[in-house]
Amino acid sequence: MAAGTFGALLWLERRRPLRRNVESKLSRGARNLAVAIGGAIVTGLVERPVVERIARRVERERLGLVKQVRLPIWLEVPLAVALLDYTLYLWHYLTHKVPFLWRFHVVHHVDLDMDASTALRFHFAELIVSIPYRAAQVRLLGISPLALSAWQTLLFMSVIFHHSNLELSIEIERKLNRFVVTPRMHGIHHSIVKAESNSNWSSGFTVWDYLHGTLRRDVPQDEIVIGVPAYREPEAVTLEKITELPFVAQLSAWQLPEGVERIEKESRVTRKISSGESAYA
Ligand SMILES: [Zn+2]
């Protein structure tokens, strides 16, 4: 089902693209696939065995928050999924705010375009670094193997959907976005403008951004430049460069190269006046 959804999204976003691409789709796709393979190896060999083992213990010994309250299964699983989704919101916030974590998460953000393949583009080291947090989520929240696999499936679907470059009608997007993260909402999170990127941290349900006041819907997609200011050149984001990126000295991410910032700001202002297109909120 996951592979089918991914394939369908790749086809749909080609037919109805939301944003214009900067790089060639083929070389970007190949690069993101290579990063994804590294991530899949870590997930399969390390993360899943570790986390699933903890979930089995949680089930056997009734450990953690959800298991302590003893709910019927139809209530336990949705509650567990919601708590995992909320604590992932917190983790995503930390990956941006803690310099050591941003060092890894930046690899996901330096993609110069965003589409379904970006959803798979997490550096293998970011996945390794996140294992203790994921283990703590499962152990402390009391996540059963059933709840864990339900969440993993929903999260995968959500992540490939909201990274996709699929243009939905504004009405449909608004309706969906009341509940779940949508492509326009997540596009704002991938903006090169720091204030825009510092919003929309949710990965599944929109409610967490809403509750924390971090929800932004006020930026039209045609004004968004995807990426991180310091890594705007295609030569800076080759497969080799992004693979070594967490382990080398990094540039100050939100600093545009000399002179570019002013031009960028001016063009944004004029575009805002001339286009008159409102955001989707
Ligand atoms: Zn992020």
Side-chain angles (χ1 to χ4, degrees):
M1 187 166 70
T5 313
F6 187 67
L9 274 170
L10 287 182
W11 182 71
L12 281 168
E13 66 184 359
R14 264 186 102 90
R15 292 200 58 191
R16 287 186 59 98
L18 176 63
R19 293 167 295 260
R20 265 189 304 272
N21 286 329
V22 176
E23 280 195 282
S24 117
K25 194 121 174 131
L26 199 66
S27 58
R28 253 194 77 245
R31 186 189 311 140
N32 288 356
L33 182 67
V35 179
I37 290 170
I41 292 171
V42 168
T43 308
L45 289 184
V46 193
E47 194 208 286
R48 283 206 179 218
V50 169
V51 174
E52 283 170 6
R53 203 186 150 136
I54 298 171
R56 284 196 296 272
R57 216 187 119 216
V58 160
E59 182 79 76
R60 240 186 358 256
E61 301 175 27
R62 301 201 70 86
L63 302 170
L65 188 68
V66 176
K67 283 293 177 193
Q68 295 287 310
V69 271
R70 290 178 181 266
L71 296 163
I73 194 142
W74 59 267
L75 201 58
E76 184 199 311
V77 173
L79 177 66
V81 167
L83 288 170
L84 283 166
D85 197 46
Y86 178 55
T87 44
L88 184 63
Y89 168 96
L90 298 176
W91 173 252
H92 186 196
Y93 178 82
L94 290 175
T95 61
H96 280 252
K97 298 296 177 184
V98 178
F100 174 75
L101 299 176
W102 171 249
R103 168 166 282 286
F104 303 96
H105 188 57
V106 70
V107 175
H108 175 68
H109 275 269
V110 295
D111 204 350
L112 299 174
D113 296 301
M114 188 172 89
D115 59 22
S117 77
T118 314
L120 310 178
R121 176 196 159 114
F122 288 93
H123 197 283
F124 70 88
E126 177 173 6
L127 299 172
I128 291 175
V129 167
S130 72
I131 291 173
Y133 187 84
R134 187 61 45 89
Q137 280 179 296
V138 173
R139 170 63 184 80
L140 299 176
L141 297 173
I143 306 301
S144 67
L146 176 65
L148 182 65
S149 79
W151 177 63
Q152 283 167 334
T153 306
L154 289 173
L155 180 66
F156 181 78
M157 298 291 194
S158 173
V159 168
I160 55 175
F161 168 64
H162 66 239
H163 282 94
S164 78
N165 193 27
L166 170 63
E167 186 187 29
L168 298 166
S169 79
I170 237 49
E171 292 77 24
I172 291 177
E173 178 123 6
R174 279 185 191 137
K175 281 194 183 116
L176 282 174
N177 194 231
R178 276 187 218 149
F179 308 101
V180 294
V181 180
T182 54
R184 284 180 175 90
M185 176 182 170
H186 202 66
I188 297 173
H189 177 67
H190 275 257
S191 163
I192 63 159
V193 179
K194 193 179 183 183
E196 292 167 6
S197 179
N198 275 334
S199 70
N200 301 352
W201 318 95
S202 299
S203 299
F205 302 112
T206 313
V207 64
W208 318 123
D209 275 304
Y210 180 77
L211 291 175
H212 282 276
T214 52
L215 181 61
R216 275 194 77 158
R217 293 191 270 218
D218 59 344
V219 190
Q221 295 296 303
D222 58 3
E223 289 189 8
I224 294 174
V225 179
I226 299 286
V228 168
Y231 298 95
R232 298 279 311 284
E233 298 301 322
E235 304 80 63
V237 294
T238 59
L239 179 60
E240 196 189 339
K241 287 271 165 58
I242 61 173
T243 304
E244 66 181 21
L245 190 54
F247 314 113
V248 297
Q250 292 184 357
L251 300 168
S252 171
W254 302 98
Q255 204 81 49
L256 279 165
E258 195 67 22
V260 179
E261 189 162 20
R262 198 177 54 81
I263 299 162
E264 205 76 46
K265 269 189 190 144
E266 277 173 7
S267 73
R268 283 176 68 83
V269 171
T270 43
R271 259 184 293 159
K272 228 167 212 159
I273 294 164
S274 62
S275 81
E277 195 223 320
S278 65
Y280 71 99

